[in-house]
């Protein structure tokens, strides 16, 4: 979700602003001798190059990033009132739990139909982009809905004509019902460690990796997003990663598997993405 959030943000930026790779830190040039004197081992230097997508690759992917931003923002704008209502309602975890339970027990109930309508619309868009299965459901759906709803709530109503500013991701949220995830997002960080509260809401949460494990996760997520959102070619990904395309394919398939996605089914059932002409052709 963090990678998708940054991709969404990259899809809306003024013409002429330099593209900065997802995960790339600002330059430290001129920030003192300590940084200037620091050198990387050959292994770390190579890892850094593989962790930061190059400008030429992002330039190719940008038109699709922009289309992705417009599609997702369109859902948020269409369901602005619903998103704001859900975020406000979820401040009461008991009410969030009641409605979450009702959704499971009585799908289509009048008290939750308005939530289901938003979820369905978002699922249709995410299915088109291959982020959920062709049936418009999957592990990314609820966390994405949480991030979009929070993003709508954080966008001043007067600014909604220009679209949703950002996807407001809840760290560590990996699955569960939409309202439950929104309730979890309201908790202070100290309360997000409570297994009993998390269990009561039926959530799935993950803890971030560390060291090389975390770095590998970042790289895999970037490659996956560039492939399936930016429509990068395997040859371009191979050139960036300096790894055989068979390895690139395996990491893409492993990420798909983790998200419950089957690309063959999507190719057969999902509509082809529309042709898109960027309004910012030079970046």
């Amino acid at each position: 979700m963090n990678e998708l959030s940054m991709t969404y943000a990259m899809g809306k930026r003024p013409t002429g602003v330099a593209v900065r790779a997802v995960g790339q830190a600002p330059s430290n040039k001129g920030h003192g001798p300590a940084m200037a004197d620091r050198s990387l081992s050959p292994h770390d230097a190579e890892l850094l190059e593989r962790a930061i997508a190059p400008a030429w690759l992002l330039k190719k992917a940008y038109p699709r990033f922009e289309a992705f931003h417009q599609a997702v923002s369109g859902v948020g704008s269409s369901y602005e009132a619903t998103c704001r209502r859900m975020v406000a309602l979820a401040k009461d975890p008991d009410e969030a739990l009641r409605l979450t339970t009702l959704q499971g027990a009585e799908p289509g109930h009048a008290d939750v139909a308005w939530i289901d309508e938003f979820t369905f619309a978002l699922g249709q868009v995410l299915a088109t982009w291959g982020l959920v299965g062709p049936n418009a459901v999957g592990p990314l759906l609820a966390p994405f809905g949480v991030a979009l709803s929070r993003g709508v709530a954080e966008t001043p109503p007067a600014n909604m004509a220009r679209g949703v500013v950002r996807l407001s991701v809840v760290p560590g949220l990996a699955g569960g019902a939409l309202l439950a995830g929104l309730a979890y997002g309201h908790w202070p960080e100290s309360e997000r460690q409570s297994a009993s509260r998390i269990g009561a809401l039926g959530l799935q949460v993950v803890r971030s990796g560390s060291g090389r494990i975390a770095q590998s996760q970042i790289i895999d997520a970037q490659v996956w997003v560039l492939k399936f959102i930016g429509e990068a070619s395997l040859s371009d990904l191979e050139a960036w990663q300096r790894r055989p395309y068979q390895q690139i394919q395996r990491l893409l398939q492993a990420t798909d598997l983790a998200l419950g996605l089957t690309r063959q089914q999507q190719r057969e059932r999902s509509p082809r993405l529309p042709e898109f002409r960027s309004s910012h052709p030079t970046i």
Side-chain angles (χ1 to χ4, degrees), residues 73-128:
S73 184
V75 176
S77 297
S78 297
Y79 289 88
E80 177 186 359
T82 296
C83 290
R84 295 185 188 279
R85 181 182 174 188
M86 287 191 298
V87 171
L89 183 152
K91 290 181 180 179
D92 180 350
D94 292 333
E95 181 65 1
L97 178 59
R98 182 186 76 82
L99 292 177
T100 296
T101 303
L102 184 60
Q103 278 184 302
E106 299 183 46
H109 190 283
D111 285 356
V112 294
W114 59 281
I115 303 171
D116 294 335
E117 183 181 345
F118 164 75
T119 304
F120 178 79
L122 178 60
Q124 291 291 301
V125 169
L126 297 187
T128 299

Side-chain angles (χ1 to χ4, degrees), residues 179-199:
L179 279 180
L182 285 170
Y184 178 74
H186 284 303
W187 298 352
E189 184 61 34
S190 59
E191 294 185 24
R192 292 182 186 171
Q193 310 303 317
S194 173
S196 60
R197 294 194 68 186
I198 291 170

Side-chain angles (χ1 to χ4, degrees), residues 122-134 228 270-274:
L122 178 60
Q124 291 291 301
V125 169
L126 297 187
T128 299
W129 286 89
L131 300 180
V132 298
F228 296 117
S270 295
R272 181 175 176 81
L273 291 179

Side-chain angles (χ1 to χ4, degrees), residues 183-238:
Y184 178 74
H186 284 303
W187 298 352
E189 184 61 34
S190 59
E191 294 185 24
R192 292 182 186 171
Q193 310 303 317
S194 173
S196 60
R197 294 194 68 186
I198 291 170
L201 285 172
L203 296 170
Q204 293 88 49
V205 298
V206 295
R207 302 291 173 241
S208 298
S210 60
R212 292 185 180 180
I213 293 176
Q215 189 68 69
S216 176
Q217 292 170 339
I218 292 171
I219 293 171
D220 289 0
Q222 277 199 84
V223 171
W224 189 82
V225 166
L226 280 164
K227 173 61 178 174
F228 296 117
I229 300 296
E231 295 188 345
S233 68
L234 282 175
S235 60
D236 282 345
L237 294 173
E238 182 182 12

Side-chain angles (χ1 to χ4, degrees), residues 10-19 62 66 278-283:
M10 289 177 66
K12 182 180 182 181
R13 62 172 185 78
T15 305
V17 174
V19 172
Y62 177 72
E66 189 176 22
S278 172
S279 59
H280 305 300
T282 303
I283 60 176

